[in-house]
Amino acid sequence: MSGAPTVSTNPQTAKMKKDESFLGKLGGTLVRKKKSKEVSDLHEEGKNAINAPLLPSGTDIHPEDTLLEENAERIMLDPTSRENPKFKDLLKVLIDWINSELEEERIIVKDLEEDCYDGQVLQKLFEKLSGRKLNVAEVTQSEIGQKQKLQTVLEAVNDVLRPHGWTVEWSVDSIHSKNLVAIIYLLVALAMHFQAPIRLPEHVSVQVVVVKKKENIAVSRDAFDTLLDHAPDKLNVVKTSLITFVNKHLNKLNLEVTELESQFADGVYLILLMGLLEDYFVPLYNFFLTPESFEQKVHNVAFAFELMQEGGLKKPKARPEDVVNLNLKSTLRVLYNLFTNYKTSA
């Protein structure tokens, strides 16, 4: 997924790459030339690293995708990825391969999500490839029966693949919930392991949306959830880019930031930064210059949020208390909001 999650389908490199983060590469290589060029490139890389998992922003969450257990997550393929030519080619190759293998069974697959989720096709495919008969019911209509069949099939698949170094990127729940990304991972692994006589398109990238159920509300997780959970290697790129941005302005007051979490936690630098970005002086009586208590720090951060909204920015998603409590994601969200709105400021 753009720096996007990449499903590696190169037979010669797949096993070496299969343990890499599902998000793949989010950034490029820093260009170190003249200082102005360096700063410009760093800003661009940081922007790309942050933006990659955020796009596109208008993904719809369907009602059925909110029917999750508390704190459960569901990964969905972003609709725009379905139009990716390489992805469509991969789907066609896999479908044609399955139909060829199961021709004698008189099974015709047209849609991987709809035809693979109940375990029937996966059972027949694994039995044909492995030459092994599985002890499962032939036809299962109930959800419990389907999941039991899937459990048996996936256990057999995993027993074959794991000893050869394959990382399991699928589960009973992900397959049964018609998670196309998980289904494709499974099919690609089977095709490569059993040396299917097909040519898989290389470097297929897709974007996914992660929906998490929390406090009876299903929410779409943002780029910083993704970065911290799946691409920690890119976190330093983002932090460095944001530090460069804030120091460009704070240096005018002979101030410098080296640690994002701690140095913005009392709100003072956030307030001073807003004054610099909007070109006004913030009266010292409006905030605590040397806050000591938790309440004073929360007051400062909340006041900084008010200044941001007065400057035309949207209300930050983070809570002032989270920033004060050194929550990295909350601090990143606040600073990125400033970065996107003021990155061209002198």
Side-chain angles (χ1 to χ4, degrees):
M1 312 180 183
S2 64
T6 300
V7 180
S8 177
T9 53
N10 186 332
Q12 296 181 343
T13 62
K15 289 194 176 183
M16 292 187 291
K17 292 185 177 181
K18 62 181 180 299
D19 290 326
E20 291 184 352
S21 165
F22 182 57
L23 285 172
K25 302 299 181 183
L26 288 179
T29 302
L30 292 180
V31 178
R32 301 193 173 278
K33 295 183 179 178
K34 294 181 180 179
K35 188 171 183 180
S36 60
K37 171 69 172 172
E38 186 176 290
V39 172
S40 174
D41 287 344
L42 189 57
H43 275 189
E44 188 63 26
E45 183 178 12
K47 183 180 70 174
N48 291 339
I50 297 168
N51 280 345
L54 272 179
L55 299 174
S57 59
T59 303
D60 293 328
I61 298 177
H62 300 290
E64 60 269 22
D65 296 319
T66 67
L67 300 176
L68 306 174
E69 296 295 327
E70 199 71 12
N71 293 318
E73 290 185 357
R74 176 169 295 174
I75 298 177
M76 302 177 295
L77 183 69
D78 191 275
T80 59
S81 292
R82 293 179 182 272
E83 302 307 314
N84 182 308
K86 281 191 173 183
F87 181 69
K88 294 171 81 171
D89 186 27
L90 175 60
L91 291 181
K92 184 178 186 306
V93 169
L94 291 174
I95 289 173
D96 289 347
W97 168 58
I98 294 172
N99 287 334
S100 175
E101 292 288 347
L102 301 182
E103 185 176 8
E104 294 180 1
E105 298 283 344
R106 299 181 182 276
I107 291 176
I108 299 178
V109 171
K110 296 181 179 179
D111 184 297
L112 292 181
E113 292 160 294
E114 296 298 328
D115 295 335
C116 292
Y117 83 95
D118 62 0
Q120 181 76 8
V121 169
L122 294 177
Q123 171 210 340
K124 295 297 183 181
L125 179 64
F126 179 74
E127 289 179 340
K128 174 68 184 303
L129 295 173
S130 66
R132 173 184 167 189
K133 183 71 174 175
L134 299 180
N135 184 23
V136 293
E138 283 300 314
V139 179
T140 52
Q141 297 294 337
S142 69
E143 179 179 338
I144 293 177
Q146 291 169 351
K147 287 188 173 182
Q148 287 175 339
K149 171 178 278 193
L150 271 175
Q151 182 71 34
T152 300
V153 173
L154 294 185
E155 284 179 357
V157 169
N158 297 343
D159 286 345
V160 170
L161 296 182
R162 272 204 183 107
H164 296 275
W166 288 96
T167 300
V168 175
E169 301 280 0
W170 50 84
S171 66
V172 171
D173 287 336
S174 63
I175 299 295
H176 195 267
S177 65
K178 304 178 184 181
N179 180 334
L180 184 56
V181 176
I183 293 171
I184 288 176
Y185 264 129
L186 173 59
L187 293 175
V188 167
L190 287 172
M192 289 182 172
H193 178 77
F194 288 103
Q195 299 180 332
I198 57 177
R199 182 176 180 81
L200 296 169
E202 298 180 9
H203 312 303
V204 180
S205 297
V206 295
Q207 289 184 323
V208 298
V209 175
V210 182
V211 175
K212 183 173 183 178
K213 182 73 170 291
K214 187 175 182 180
E215 296 177 357
N216 295 320
I217 299 174
V219 295
S220 181
R221 306 177 74 208
D222 67 12
F224 299 110
D225 292 305
T226 305
L227 274 172
L228 289 168
D229 293 348
H230 302 291
D233 56 315
K234 290 303 171 185
L235 190 57
N236 284 335
V237 173
V238 175
K239 293 171 73 172
T240 301
S241 184
L242 292 176
I243 287 173
T244 301
F245 163 71
V246 298
N247 281 337
K248 173 185 173 183
H249 300 282
L250 290 176
N251 285 168
K252 298 171 186 176
L253 298 178
N254 292 321
L255 300 174
E256 185 166 358
V257 170
T258 56
E259 288 292 332
L260 293 180
E261 305 99 300
S262 60
Q263 288 183 268
F264 284 98
D266 63 9
V268 174
Y269 277 13
L270 275 179
I271 294 169
L272 297 177
L273 182 58
M274 279 307 303
L276 290 165
L277 293 171
E278 286 290 329
D279 196 23
Y280 57 69
F281 175 75
V282 182
L284 298 181
Y285 58 77
N286 280 334
F287 65 100
F288 298 95
L289 188 59
T290 56
E292 296 181 357
S293 68
F294 180 82
E295 290 73 19
Q296 291 176 345
K297 294 176 183 179
V298 170
H299 168 87
N300 281 356
V301 176
F303 178 57
F305 285 6
E306 290 178 15
L307 296 179
M308 293 174 195
Q309 290 175 268
E310 289 176 4
L313 278 68
K314 293 181 179 179
K315 182 180 179 180
K317 293 182 179 179
R319 300 183 311 146
E321 292 83 358
D322 294 333
V323 176
V324 176
N325 282 323
L326 309 181
N327 183 289
L328 178 58
K329 277 190 285 192
S330 296
T331 304
L332 287 175
R333 288 186 179 103
V334 172
L335 293 176
Y336 178 63
N337 195 27
L338 297 178
F339 174 83
T340 55
N341 284 275
Y342 296 102
K343 59 180 176 287
T344 58
S345 299

